[in-house]
């Protein structure tokens, strides 16, 4: 080439180069603009990630941005886990020409994902997962280079764009589960994605069978399709997936056997096919020796557990309950691994309990209830300090219970009921500081109860019935202040019934029948504020029936077959109680002919009793423990001075606001005519002060424990209750009821709250005080209550877990704006909060999250479940439990059973809500379904719930028409516009 030509070429190249540079820099300034658009769109986020996103900075230097090698154009945007909120402007972002990675996972991004997303055609990585988007996922068929696609758990609905996957053959990760997609058969496009490693399709409405073609996805390491509507058998072709590490098939309708060839999956570490209809035996499992977790509970599996499981070196979790398995557990089970958990309950297993499951000191739960196990409880479990749950009931175990079992330092429940076990409860029990429940009924246990039992201060249920215990019940038993249920019946106990039981202020159920107790019935038993059932029949008890027992609260009172004498208290002297007092020849009655008439002598006694009863019937207006004090109050005028000094002595007012009322105003309001509610934790009274202010006063029942603690441990501990109340009273939120102060006495506690005139949501939805709440109002209540709970969970220094979220704890002010009530109560009531999780089941039937059943762990997600139930009440207008759901079925079950098609879903909505709002109600129903997910981890946080609810706001236009119409006649007429 001539020099001239060369020069020309050079010039031309130079020209092109200049042009190119100009082009690049113009792209860069566009890129800046696109990114600043994104920053603006997400301006409401609470994040610092955008601090570096300034026009005076280089785009490639923005946090979360990576540029290509030339350092001039944006290649990756990674803003995962940045607390982002708002809607992504895909029209702008997808103009970034070199964009290959877009990662927005784990944020609070909302709104719909527009068709513009498809313009991001060079993407290899797209993560929109774990957000709160709405609407469907658009067509993404341009993204044929995609390797990673995450859209899981992000609020998407409609139909997934399956056909977009057709040419996405490079895909390695496809994660689309936990979305509310329309039901669809297993998508055939997925079977062509031969490079897939990771396929997550759990909980996204997939029906039909798993196709044989699944066997072509030979690179799969993880395959999850749990919680769908899968039917048919597990295809035998699954055995070709030899790289599988995790296989999750649980909660479907799978039938048939574990397929022959499953044994080839020798890399499998996590296998869960629980809650299906699988049958046949476990012989294919025996080769899967890398298993860490095997969960096949709730199936119809039979045959024996392969002995090879005892040789698995990594097995930590074996959960096979509710099947029809027979034979023995492998004797060496768990001995070679850090074995942690076994639940093989409700099978037909026999033989001995394998002795070495806790060999590595890691075991937390040993659950083998309801089988045919024989032999002794291996002594090795005495040293298993990690055990929290030891449940071996309903077997045929024999021999002496190893004494160390009683002293396991972390045990929460010891359940050895209905076996053939011997020995006694040993003094080791002093170490069982976390033990909440002992179930030992129907064994041959004997000996005296050791006084050390009173050191196991977390105990709330003790059932020792149908054994051979003897001697006196330790007088210190009253130190078990958390006790709710005490069953000592059908033993050989003697001596007096300990008076100290009156300190167990939570006792609801006492059964001491069929023993040899003697002496008088302690009158204090009748003062137990929540006692519901008292059975002292078939003992040697003598003396009179204490008048304190005449309270009508008892649903069961049985004092029959004792040696009681004297007049039956007047209010119990009715035919209905005949059986309760039978077999006591010394008893007499003026009214009931079944008993002999009282002589004039005993009539004297009876009139003394009558005075006591009058006093009590005043007192029944009051909480019983106030009795002495209020009887006193009656005479206030005569003995004013004395009364005042009693008041000053007895009550300690903790006030946190300038109160504007005095304790007397509050105390005087505690009477029956002011009673406005009864709840699990106490009665609520309305107090109208002289200055016209109204307050609500709640009495907490088991205050005895607080008081006791105080007495024993001095000043330092005494402040625990106060601190708790102080924390709660410092909570300020428009959707949380204000706590003004607490009034504490030696015997009881009052909490003073603001008074809300419109009662509870429960009343307004379900009772005679029902209002025809329109959807806008219901929606307002849902959002407000959600914000209140969000504040309790996320807005306070430490999260406040409510533990009893329900519509009767959502109160309404004069404008029907909601406020959360009774928050944190469970914690106050249960003063021993040394442990993170609580043993007492707080909560109300129909609202209780399923995890309570097996773990008793309470956290924020349990509140989220209960809130989901409240949302269901708002949408359907139904109660959490109704007979139409079927026996033992609740609203969550009922709603889920109607998610078949649009028609059945719409049929769930309260018929009083006009059609126009039906779509809006369905949005809220979807949130309710998410909140009530079976697995706590799948439930959104309250923060997310609030965001999702805000997205579900009813159409604005409609609301304007309706508000405008306030002066008009019929709302329904105008809604038609
Ligand atoms: C990159 O950003 C940092 C922090 O914002 C800044 O200090 C630095 O000067 C920037 N570098 C360039 C090349 O813009
Ligand atoms: C996939 O590729 C084939 C062949 O090029 C083409 O006909 C088809 O339209 C593509 N599918 C999609 C969804 O792009
Ligand atoms: C799954 O099984 C249950 C109980 O037998 C049944 O009610 C339900 O309709 C089944 N679902 C499907 C998708 O087959």
């Amino acid at each position: 080439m001539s020099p001239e030509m060369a020069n020309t070429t050079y010039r031309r190249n130079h020209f092109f180069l200049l042009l190119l540079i100009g082009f690049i820099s113009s792209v860069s300034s566009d890129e800046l603009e696109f990114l600043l658009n994104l920053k603006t769109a997400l301006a409401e986020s609470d994040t610092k990630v955008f601090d570096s996103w300034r026009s005076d900075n280089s785009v490639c230097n923005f946090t979360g941005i990576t540029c290509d090698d030339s350092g001039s154009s944006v290649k990756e945007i990674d803003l995962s886990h940045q607390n982002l909120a708002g809607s992504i402007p895909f029209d702008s972002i997808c103009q970034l020409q070199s964009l290959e990675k877009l990662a927005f996972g784990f944020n609070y991004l909302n709104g719909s994902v527009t068709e513009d997303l498809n313009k991001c055609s060079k993407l290899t990585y797209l993560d929109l997962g774990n957000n709160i988007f709405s609407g469907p996922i658009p067509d993404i068929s341009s993204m044929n280079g995609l390797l990673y696609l995450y859209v899981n758990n992000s609020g998407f609905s409609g139909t997934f764009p399956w056909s977009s996957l057709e040419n996405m053959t490079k895909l390695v990760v496809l994660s689309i589960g936990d979305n509310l997609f329309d039901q669809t058969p297993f998508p055939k496009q997925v079977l062509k994605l031969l490079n897939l490693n990771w396929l997550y399709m759990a909980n996204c409405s997939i029906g039909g069978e798993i196709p044989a073609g699944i066997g072509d996805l030979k690179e799969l390491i993880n395959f999850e399709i749990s919680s769908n509507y899968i039917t048919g058998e597990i295809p035998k072709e699954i055995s070709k997936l030899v790289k599988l590490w995790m296989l999750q098939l649980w909660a479907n309708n799978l039938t048939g056997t574990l397929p022959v060839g499953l044994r080839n999956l020798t890399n499998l570490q996590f296998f869960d096919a629980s809650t299906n209809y699988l049958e046949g035996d476990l012989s294919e499992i025996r080769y899967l020796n890398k298993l860490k977790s095997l969960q096949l509970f709730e199936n119809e599996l039979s045959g024996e557990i392969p002995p090879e499981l005892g040789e698995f070196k990594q097995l930590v979790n074996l959960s096979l309950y509710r099947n029809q398995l027979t034979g023995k557990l492998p004797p060496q089970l768990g001995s070679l691994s850090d074995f942690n958990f076994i639940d093989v309950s409700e099978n037909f297993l026999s033989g001995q309990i394998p002795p070495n499951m806790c060999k590595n000191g890691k075991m937390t739960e040993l659950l083998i209830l309801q089988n045919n196990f024989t032999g002794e409880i291996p002594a090795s479990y005495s040293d298993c300090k990690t055990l929290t749950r030891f449940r071996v009931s309903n077997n045929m175990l024999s021999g002496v219970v190893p004494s160390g079992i009683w002293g396991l330092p972390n045990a929460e429940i010891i359940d050895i009921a209905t076996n053939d076990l011997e020995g006694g409860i040993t003094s080791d029990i002093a170490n069982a500081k976390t033990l909440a429940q002992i179930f030992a009924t129907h064994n041959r246990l004997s000996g005296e109860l050791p006084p050390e039992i009173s050191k196991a201060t977390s105990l709330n249920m003790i059932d020792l019935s149908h054994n051979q215990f003897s001697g006196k019940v330790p007088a210190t038993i009253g130190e078990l202040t958390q006790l709710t249920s005490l069953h000592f019946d059908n033993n050989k106990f003697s001596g007096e019934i300990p008076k100290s039981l009156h300190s167990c202020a939570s006792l609801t159920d006492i059964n001491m029948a069929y023993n040899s107790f003697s002496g008088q019935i302690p009158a204090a038993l009748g003062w137990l504020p929540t006692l519901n059932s008292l059975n002292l029949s078939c003992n040697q008890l003598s003396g009179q029936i204490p008048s304190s027992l005449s309270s009508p609260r008892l649903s069961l009172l049985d004092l029959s077959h004792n040696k009681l004498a004297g007049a039956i208290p007047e209010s119990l002297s009715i035919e209905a109680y005949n059986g309760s007092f039978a077999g006591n020849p010394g008893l007499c009655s003026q009214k009931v002919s079944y008993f002999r008439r009282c002589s004039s002598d005993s009539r004297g006694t009876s009139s003394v009793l009558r005075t006591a009863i009058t006093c009590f019937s005043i007192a029944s207006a009051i909480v019983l423990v106030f009795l002495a004090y209020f009887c006193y109050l009656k005479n206030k005028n005569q003995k004013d001075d004395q009364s005042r000094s009693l008041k000053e002595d007895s009550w300690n007012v903790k006030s946190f606001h300038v109160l504007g009322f005095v304790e007397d105003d509050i105390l005087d309001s505690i009477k029956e005519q002011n009673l406005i509610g009864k709840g699990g934790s106490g009665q609520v009274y309305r107090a109208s002060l002289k200055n016209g202010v109204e307050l609500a006063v709640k009495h907490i029942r088991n205050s005895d424990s607080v008081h006791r603690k105080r007495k024993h441990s001095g000043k330092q501990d005494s402040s625990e209750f106060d601190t708790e109340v102080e924390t709660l009273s410092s909570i300020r939120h428009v959707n949380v009821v204000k706590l003004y102060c607490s009034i504490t006495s030696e015997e009881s506690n009052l909490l003073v709250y603001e008074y809300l005139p419109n009662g509870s949501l429960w009343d307004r939805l379900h009772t005679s005080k029902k209002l025809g709440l329109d959807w806008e109002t219901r929606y307002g209540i849902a959002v407000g209550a959600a914000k209140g709970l969000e504040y309790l969970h996320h807005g306070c220094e430490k999260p406040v877990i409510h533990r009893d979220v329900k519509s009767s704890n959502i109160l309404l002010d004069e404008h029907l704006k909601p406020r959360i009530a009774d928050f944190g109560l469970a914690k106050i009531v249960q003063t021993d909060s040394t442990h993170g999780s609580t043993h007492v089941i707080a909560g109300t039937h129909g609202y209780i999250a399923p995890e309570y059943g097996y773990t008793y762990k309470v956290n924020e997600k349990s509140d989220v479940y209960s809130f989901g139930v409240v949302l269901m009440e708002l949408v359907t207008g139904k109660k959490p439990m109704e007979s139409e759901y079927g026996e033992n079925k609740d609203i969550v079950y009922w709603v889920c059973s109607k998610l078949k098609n649009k028609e059945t879903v719409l049929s769930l909505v309260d018929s009083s809500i006009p059609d126009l709002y039906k779509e809006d109600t369905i949005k809220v129903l979807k949130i309710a379904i998410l909140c009530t997910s079976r697995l706590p981890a799948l439930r959104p946080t309250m923060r997310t719930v609030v965001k999702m609810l805000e997205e579900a706001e009813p159409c604005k236009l409609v609301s304007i028409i309706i508000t405008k119409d306030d002066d008009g006649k019929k709302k329904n007429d105008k809604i038609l516009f």
Side-chain angles (χ1 to χ4, degrees):
M1 151 190 340
S2 75
E4 204 176 339
M5 273 181 76
N7 199 19
T8 320
T9 315
Y10 166 73
R11 284 224 194 100
R12 194 186 295 140
N13 282 351
H14 189 70
F15 174 75
F16 274 121
L17 199 66
L18 285 174
L19 201 73
L20 200 63
I21 289 168
F23 182 66
I24 287 171
S25 62
S26 86
V27 166
S28 291
S29 73
D30 284 347
E31 298 208 329
L32 176 67
E33 191 190 319
F34 299 145
L35 291 181
L36 293 180
N37 280 347
L38 177 62
K39 175 179 174 175
T40 310
L42 306 182
E44 60 177 286
S45 312
D46 180 11
T47 177
K48 293 211 174 351
V49 76
F50 292 130
D51 289 2
S52 61
W53 290 40
R54 296 179 319 262
S55 45
D56 62 345
N57 197 354
S58 146
V59 166
C60 300
N61 197 23
F62 286 8
T63 311
I65 300 296
T66 308
C67 284
D68 61 6
D69 291 341
S70 69
S72 51
S73 34
V74 175
K75 189 172 145 196
E76 300 185 354
I77 301 179
D78 186 345
L79 294 173
S80 322
H81 292 282
Q82 296 293 351
N83 214 22
L84 302 180
S87 218
I88 303 176
F90 288 103
D91 51 345
S92 172
I93 293 280
C94 288
Q95 291 185 53
L96 293 165
Q97 295 299 316
S98 308
L99 196 61
E100 291 178 16
K101 174 171 178 176
L102 199 50
F104 282 112
F106 295 95
N107 284 295
Y108 301 101
L109 297 166
N110 59 21
S112 56
V113 174
T114 58
E115 299 280 348
D116 300 297
L117 174 62
N118 202 27
K119 298 196 186 113
C120 283
S121 59
K122 294 214 180 95
L123 287 186
T124 59
Y125 190 112
L126 175 61
D127 180 5
L128 301 176
N130 298 289
N131 280 288
I132 51 173
F133 294 109
S134 50
I137 295 175
D139 171 61
I140 47 170
S141 53
S142 71
M143 300 184 192
N144 286 338
L146 213 52
L147 300 173
Y148 301 90
L149 176 58
Y150 298 93
V151 293
N152 56 298
N153 189 29
S154 251
F156 292 115
S157 55
T159 307
F160 184 87
W162 300 112
S163 60
S164 298
L165 299 177
E166 221 164 79
N167 297 329
M168 238 181 247
T169 49
K170 293 182 183 157
L171 212 54
V172 173
V173 170
L174 178 60
S175 181
I176 62 176
D178 301 320
N179 283 301
L180 298 165
F181 294 134
D182 297 338
Q183 194 168 331
T184 170
F186 193 103
K188 58 183 189 312
Q189 292 86 350
V190 170
L191 303 174
K192 296 277 182 285
L193 306 175
L194 300 183
N195 289 309
L196 275 185
N197 275 203
W198 199 275
L199 180 53
Y200 182 74
M201 298 206 298
N203 190 24
C204 59
S205 315
I206 301 202
E209 304 197 3
I210 301 176
I214 194 73
D216 297 340
L217 303 183
K218 294 202 174 61
E219 297 300 316
L220 274 185
I221 292 172
N222 182 28
F223 177 36
E224 296 184 57
I225 195 160
S226 325
S227 296
N228 281 297
Y229 310 104
I230 306 283
T231 54
E233 305 199 357
I234 303 174
K236 64 178 189 305
E237 288 76 9
I238 207 149
S239 63
K240 297 187 198 161
L241 308 181
V242 293
K243 292 190 176 169
L244 270 187
W245 158 84
M246 169 128 84
L247 178 57
Q248 304 277 350
L249 306 172
W250 48 273
N252 280 298
N253 277 13
L254 290 166
T255 51
T257 62
L258 296 174
V260 175
L262 194 72
R263 64 179 68 185
N264 296 336
L265 305 185
T266 51
N267 288 306
L268 206 54
Q269 295 193 11
F270 299 89
F271 180 34
D272 190 343
S274 307
T275 318
N276 278 294
Y277 301 95
L278 296 172
E279 55 192 22
D281 65 20
L282 302 181
S283 53
E284 287 296 319
I285 303 287
R286 64 176 60 177
Y287 305 98
L288 307 182
N289 62 11
K290 293 208 182 110
L291 278 179
K292 286 188 169 159
S293 173
L294 177 62
Q295 307 204 47
L296 297 171
F297 59 82
E298 291 176 337
N299 277 293
E300 287 154 17
L301 297 164
S302 56
E304 303 202 352
I305 295 177
E308 287 84 349
L309 256 63
E311 284 145 35
F312 288 6
K313 294 191 176 62
Q314 304 192 55
L315 191 66
V316 296
N317 179 350
L318 182 63
S319 199
L320 303 174
Y321 62 88
R322 295 211 181 119
N323 278 291
Q324 290 147 32
L325 299 167
T326 52
K328 297 174 180 169
L329 284 176
Q332 286 313 308
L333 187 65
S335 61
L336 302 175
S337 58
D338 284 348
F339 200 66
N340 176 269
F341 179 98
I342 186 172
D343 191 347
V344 293
S345 305
E346 298 182 50
N347 280 290
F348 306 108
L349 296 168
S350 56
Q352 307 213 351
I353 303 177
N356 293 321
M357 293 189 289
C358 194
K359 195 167 169 197
N360 280 359
K362 297 280 163 56
M363 184 159 211
T364 58
E365 304 193 19
L366 192 163
L367 309 167
I368 59 166
L369 293 70
Q370 211 166 309
N371 280 288
N372 301 322
F373 287 105
T374 52
E376 302 195 351
I377 296 174
S380 51
Y381 294 105
S382 279
D383 300 322
C384 190
K385 303 221 183 315
T386 45
L387 265 185
T388 61
R389 294 167 79 74
F390 182 77
R391 305 193 67 179
V392 300
S393 55
N394 289 287
N395 280 291
M396 301 186 304
L397 299 170
S398 57
V400 172
V401 181
S403 61
I405 294 286
W406 299 110
L408 289 172
N410 289 301
E412 290 164 11
I413 174 166
I414 292 180
D415 176 10
I416 57 173
T418 319
N419 279 290
D420 199 19
L421 293 163
E422 294 170 70
I425 294 181
T426 63
S427 57
D428 300 64
I429 199 165
N431 300 322
K433 295 294 183 208
T434 61
L435 187 59
Q437 292 163 352
I438 298 178
F439 299 116
T441 182
H442 286 96
N443 276 292
R444 294 195 285 136
L445 302 176
S446 59
E448 296 197 11
L449 282 189
E452 288 82 359
I453 196 169
S454 61
K455 299 285 182 283
T457 46
S458 300
L459 275 173
N460 62 55
M461 291 172 95
I462 305 180
D463 185 358
L464 305 180
S465 60
H466 295 272
N467 277 290
Q468 292 158 27
F469 286 106
S470 58
K472 290 186 178 173
V473 174
T476 52
I477 192 135
E479 288 171 27
L480 298 177
T481 52
Q482 314 258 16
L483 272 188
T484 59
S485 167
L486 192 60
H487 286 202
F488 282 177
D489 54 292
N490 291 281
N491 277 287
K492 296 172 181 168
F493 285 113
S494 57
E496 295 199 354
I497 292 175
K499 292 188 179 56
S500 66
L501 280 178
H502 88 272
S503 306
C504 308
S506 304
L507 265 176
T508 59
D509 184 3
I510 301 177
N511 189 347
M512 305 227 167
Y514 292 94
N515 278 289
S516 301
F517 286 111
S518 57
Q520 301 209 0
I521 299 173
L525 289 188
W527 301 350
L528 287 169
T530 59
L531 191 65
N532 183 261
S533 169
L534 178 64
N535 188 348
L536 303 177
S537 63
C538 303
N539 279 291
Q540 312 286 328
L541 297 165
S542 56
Q544 293 182 356
I545 297 172
S547 53
S548 60
L549 292 181
S550 53
S551 148
R553 291 161 304 131
L554 292 178
S555 62
L556 183 148
L557 175 63
D558 192 349
L559 306 179
S560 64
H561 300 280
N562 276 291
K563 296 176 175 167
L564 299 167
I568 296 169
E570 187 133 345
S571 65
L572 298 176
S573 218
I574 47 177
E575 303 281 346
Y577 279 107
N578 287 356
S580 300
F581 306 119
N584 287 287
L587 287 177
C588 65
S589 167
Q590 291 303 105
K591 291 204 288 195
V592 181
S593 55
Y594 180 83
F595 300 99
R596 82 184 157 79
R597 281 210 141 225
C598 297
S599 69
S600 57
D601 214 19
S602 56
R603 206 178 294 145
T605 324
S606 137
S607 82
V608 171
L609 273 175
R610 201 168 296 142
T611 336
I613 290 161
T614 328
C615 201
F616 262 98
S617 64
I618 300 160
S620 71
I622 305 158
V623 185
L624 275 175
V625 285
F626 282 96
L627 173 69
Y629 172 62
F630 278 99
C631 285
Y632 206 77
L633 205 66
K634 279 263 134 191
N635 300 327
K636 193 169 153 193
N637 293 338
Q638 293 115 303
K639 306 178 185 170
D640 211 31
D641 288 349
Q642 215 181 335
S643 161
R644 175 142 303 138
S645 85
L646 180 97
K647 274 187 182 175
E648 276 158 15
D649 285 345
S650 310
W651 298 92
N652 164 27
V653 183
K654 238 339 199 194
S655 55
F656 303 99
H657 298 247
V658 180
L659 290 180
F661 55 86
V662 285
E663 50 180 307
D664 284 13
D665 295 343
I666 303 293
L667 298 178
D668 289 346
S669 69
I670 308 289
K671 44 192 167 201
E672 180 141 38
Q673 60 262 42
N674 292 337
L675 189 67
I676 51 175
K678 283 183 196 177
S681 55
Q683 274 99 330
V684 185
Y685 301 87
R686 170 176 173 179
S688 309
L689 306 184
K690 291 178 193 87
N691 61 10
V693 172
E694 298 202 288
L695 298 166
V697 183
K698 175 151 205 153
H699 165 254
I700 294 189
R701 284 164 184 158
N702 75 339
S703 51
D704 257 21
S705 56
V706 176
H707 150 61
R708 187 154 297 279
K709 245 188 140 137
R710 220 167 254 180
K711 254 191 176 167
H712 288 304
S713 26
K715 261 221 150 116
Q716 204 190 339
D717 273 357
S718 84
S719 60
E720 193 186 324
F721 176 84
D722 297 337
T723 318
E724 191 66 39
V725 171
E726 202 164 339
T727 312
L728 297 182
S729 71
S730 70
I731 287 172
R732 298 288 154 71
H733 191 274
V734 289
N735 297 118
V736 175
V737 172
K738 272 183 210 62
L739 172 61
Y740 288 118
C741 73
S742 76
I743 305 179
T744 322
S745 81
E746 284 284 291
E747 286 153 323
S748 206
N749 291 288
L750 301 174
L751 294 175
V752 182
Y753 293 98
E754 70 179 314
Y755 172 76
L756 292 167
N758 261 320
S760 74
L761 177 59
W762 171 276
D763 290 343
R764 298 303 164 187
L765 277 178
H766 305 308
T767 69
S768 53
K769 293 179 233 157
K770 186 160 153 174
L771 292 174
L773 297 178
D774 62 36
W775 177 247
E776 298 245 303
T777 309
R778 293 187 202 203
Y779 171 78
I781 293 170
V783 174
K787 285 181 174 170
L789 262 184
E790 179 198 22
Y791 182 78
L792 293 177
H793 286 184
H794 306 294
C796 310
E797 205 175 315
K798 278 197 249 152
V800 175
I801 304 173
H802 190 297
R803 291 181 167 89
D804 197 10
V805 174
K806 53 180 171 178
S807 55
S808 57
N809 276 338
I810 295 173
L811 304 183
L812 302 174
D813 71 6
E814 63 272 32
H815 308 296
L816 295 172
K817 296 279 175 287
R819 298 203 199 167
I820 304 281
D822 263 11
F823 50 95
L825 254 192
K827 183 112 179 276
I828 294 193
V829 172
Q830 193 207 350
T831 52
D832 187 3
S833 53
T834 47
H835 282 264
S837 64
T838 152
H839 309 304
V840 180
I841 294 196
T844 304
H845 199 39
Y847 294 92
I848 300 177
E851 65 266 20
Y852 276 102
Y854 277 89
T855 66
Y856 292 96
K857 292 264 161 55
V858 183
N859 64 24
E860 291 93 328
K861 291 295 182 72
S862 320
D863 279 355
V864 174
Y865 181 96
S866 310
F867 183 73
V869 175
V870 173
L871 289 181
M872 288 182 178
E873 287 177 76
L874 282 167
V875 171
T876 64
K878 299 254 196 261
K879 296 179 194 167
M881 304 295 293
E882 302 245 15
S883 50
E884 71 172 282
Y885 309 153
E887 200 182 343
N888 289 324
K889 298 290 194 289
D890 57 19
I891 195 167
V892 176
Y893 171 89
W894 179 68
V895 166
C896 291
S897 70
K898 301 257 167 164
L899 302 180
K900 303 264 182 282
N901 55 46
K902 195 149 189 166
E903 243 163 62
T904 55
V905 172
L906 285 174
S907 76
L908 289 166
V909 179
D910 192 334
S911 56
S912 72
I913 297 175
D915 283 348
L916 189 62
Y917 286 103
K918 290 266 159 83
E919 293 291 334
D920 292 318
T921 63
I922 298 303
K923 287 184 203 157
V924 172
L925 190 64
K926 283 179 177 172
I927 300 167
I929 292 164
L930 278 180
C931 289
T932 50
S933 299
R934 216 167 63 131
L935 292 181
L938 296 184
R939 295 174 207 148
T941 61
M942 280 315 296
R943 181 156 284 168
T944 309
V945 172
V946 169
K947 293 237 161 93
M948 289 179 359
L949 280 171
E950 283 172 343
E951 290 270 299
E953 189 175 0
C955 171
K956 281 274 164 39
L957 184 64
V958 173
S959 76
I960 292 165
I961 294 170
I962 289 179
T963 16
K964 262 196 189 157
D965 197 51
D966 270 356
D967 51 351
K969 301 133 279 171
K970 268 191 188 164
K971 283 181 179 176
N972 282 338
D973 289 349
K974 284 222 171 150
I975 287 171
L976 296 174
F977 285 102

